[in-house]
Amino acid sequence: MKKILWLLILPLAFACEEEKEDNTEVDPQAIRKELRATDVEVGFAQIKDFEYLVNTSGKIEANREIILPFEKSSVIKKLYVINAQIVKENQTLAELENEDEIMALRKARITYEQNYVNFQNDSLTYGSGQFTDIVRRNLELKNNIIGANLSIEEAELNLEKTIIKAPISGVIANLMTREGGMASSGKEFCRIYDANSLILVANILESDVSLVEIGQKVDVYPVSRNSGTFEGIVKEINPFVNENGLVSVRISIANGASLIPGMNANAVIRVPQTANIIVPKRSVTVRGGREVVFTMENGRAKWNYVVSGLDNGLEVEILEGIAAGAQVILTNNLQLSHDAEVAVVTPTVQTEN
């Protein structure tokens, strides 16, 4: 029995002895040397001008647009334009049936000629010294010269209403009629807009109103595919905040003739700021509820608490915490610790096949 107990105790004793021999003190420096340096990409803190970007979206509208109505009710005899056609000012767009108007004008002119003949005959009864302005006026009234003139003007105006002309140069839009169709007085015939005077009507947050000013540059990105990017300028800011906390702005678009009113578009208003220390946004991380930027010094990461300013989505202003010229770490900064060893790597550039 004693021999069995010794056989059980001896292995436990040897195990305890091995644990005592392995319980040596850990050397942090030795472990650090064995750890591989963290690969990072780096940038620099620079003093430079900073653009705060205000993002917005809205609809493209024509700054100059005229709704052209029918002025008479009649049948459309001729239609000379189609939608999207470019027209010149005073160009004839359509004609209505106008035989009655032409006849009324002829009658008015004949009546005037008859009255004028009577006026001339009455004038011959007066000598040169007797035909005063008062006499002339009385004879014109007697022979209804003024009334006949007014009838001609009225007939000409009615005839003009049957010939629809472009009040401005521009693009035809919303033309919904056809030859032989019925025109109703007051009904819209078409719209004409100036393609060189398009604007984007958009909304910005009330918190950004103090930053946006008339004259600032804007990049406009129509939502429709392959429309490209267009330059714009802030032209108007409505001094009113709506129920959603938004303020309306009007942005003129340069060289936007290829765009169409009603299109949706995104825009970025570029708000210039004074020069300050600027770092790439990727270099700023949050640790313990505070903003941190890791700088690189002699191959090691250095922890820096910072106070940031404006953020344009790509870069961030740094108001306090690091100096200009510092090399800042852009990648793997979420897992870094102070004084950790780091190695700079070149970012991979993707190329199209």
Side-chain angles (χ1 to χ4, degrees):
M1 186 67 177
K2 288 182 179 180
K3 189 179 283 189
I4 295 173
L5 289 174
W6 276 108
L7 289 174
L8 293 173
I9 293 171
L10 282 174
L12 292 174
F14 281 116
C16 292
E17 189 66 28
E18 287 180 3
E19 285 184 7
K20 288 180 182 179
E21 291 177 358
D22 292 340
N23 192 19
T24 57
E25 186 177 348
V26 177
D27 183 1
Q29 296 296 331
I31 293 177
R32 179 175 290 173
K33 289 179 181 179
E34 294 178 5
L35 292 175
R36 184 177 179 278
T38 302
D39 291 339
V40 296
E41 296 173 20
V42 296
F44 289 92
Q46 306 175 62
I47 293 182
K48 65 177 185 178
D49 291 335
F50 177 75
E51 280 189 328
Y52 179 65
L53 305 180
V54 176
N55 293 284
T56 184
S57 62
K59 282 190 177 292
I60 293 173
E61 296 182 1
N63 192 42
R64 190 182 184 205
E65 179 185 62
I66 291 179
I67 299 175
L68 198 58
F70 291 111
E71 295 188 86
K72 291 187 71 68
S73 296
S74 185
V75 176
I76 300 170
K77 181 169 65 176
K78 291 287 184 180
L79 189 61
Y80 299 107
V81 293
I82 60 175
N83 277 314
Q85 183 173 334
I86 299 173
V87 297
K88 300 284 188 180
E89 183 177 356
N90 290 324
Q91 180 177 332
T92 299
L93 309 180
E95 289 184 35
L96 307 182
E97 293 287 355
N98 53 14
E99 287 78 7
D100 292 344
E101 286 75 16
I102 293 173
M103 183 61 69
L105 178 58
R106 290 180 61 190
K107 288 181 178 179
R109 286 172 176 169
I110 291 172
T111 299
Y112 173 82
E113 290 174 1
Q114 291 173 338
N115 293 352
Y116 188 71
V117 168
N118 294 332
F119 165 78
Q120 286 183 315
N121 290 336
D122 289 345
S123 299
L124 295 175
T125 61
Y126 292 87
S128 59
Q130 296 176 322
F131 196 69
T132 63
D133 290 341
I134 294 176
V135 171
R136 171 184 287 277
R137 179 67 174 173
N138 288 338
L139 292 179
E140 286 177 345
L141 290 172
K142 174 185 175 183
N143 292 285
N144 197 28
I145 296 297
I146 297 174
N149 260 323
L150 287 175
S151 295
I152 291 175
E153 291 178 9
E154 182 180 16
E156 288 175 341
L157 182 61
N158 286 333
L159 182 59
E160 285 178 8
K161 291 179 180 179
T162 66
I163 302 173
I164 304 171
K165 295 185 177 183
I168 62 170
S169 298
V171 180
I172 298 293
N174 211 35
L175 178 64
M176 306 297 289
T177 190
R178 58 181 178 79
E179 284 188 4
M182 188 67 190
S184 299
S185 179
K187 183 181 178 181
E188 180 179 330
F189 166 59
C190 72
R191 300 184 182 199
I192 304 177
Y193 70 88
D194 184 353
N196 297 313
S197 182
L198 296 180
I199 60 171
L200 174 66
V201 179
N203 292 317
I204 60 174
L205 296 172
E206 61 177 299
S207 57
D208 289 330
V209 171
S210 61
L211 299 172
V212 177
E213 296 179 358
I214 292 174
Q216 287 173 343
K217 294 181 179 180
V218 184
D219 295 328
V220 179
Y221 307 90
V223 173
S224 61
R225 298 178 64 183
N226 302 321
S227 293
T229 304
F230 297 82
E231 295 180 358
I233 295 177
V234 177
K235 283 294 185 182
E236 183 180 328
I237 303 170
N238 185 13
F240 178 81
V241 180
N242 66 19
E243 65 276 9
N244 297 316
L246 301 174
V247 174
S248 176
V249 296
R250 295 167 71 87
I251 299 165
S252 66
I253 303 173
N255 302 319
S258 61
L259 302 177
I260 301 173
M263 275 184 167
N264 295 298
N266 300 315
V268 176
I269 303 173
R270 299 187 174 274
V271 182
Q273 302 292 310
T274 56
N276 210 333
I277 296 177
I278 308 300
V279 298
K281 184 174 181 179
R282 291 191 296 159
S283 67
V284 182
T285 185
V286 177
R287 296 290 188 87
R290 296 183 62 183
E291 291 178 313
V292 172
V293 171
F294 282 97
T295 54
M296 180 174 172
E297 301 176 20
N298 300 319
R300 297 200 177 277
K302 301 297 180 181
W303 178 302
N304 302 273
Y305 285 116
V306 296
V307 177
S308 66
L310 293 175
D311 173 352
N312 66 9
L314 298 175
E315 297 177 317
V316 179
E317 283 183 313
I318 299 299
L319 307 179
E320 295 178 14
I322 58 174
Q327 197 171 32
V328 297
I329 295 174
L330 307 180
T331 58
N332 291 328
N333 43 12
L334 288 175
Q335 66 191 49
L336 287 177
S337 60
H338 181 68
D339 218 29
E341 188 175 356
V342 292
V344 177
V345 297
T346 303
T348 303
V349 179
Q350 294 183 348
T351 58
E352 294 182 0
N353 294 328

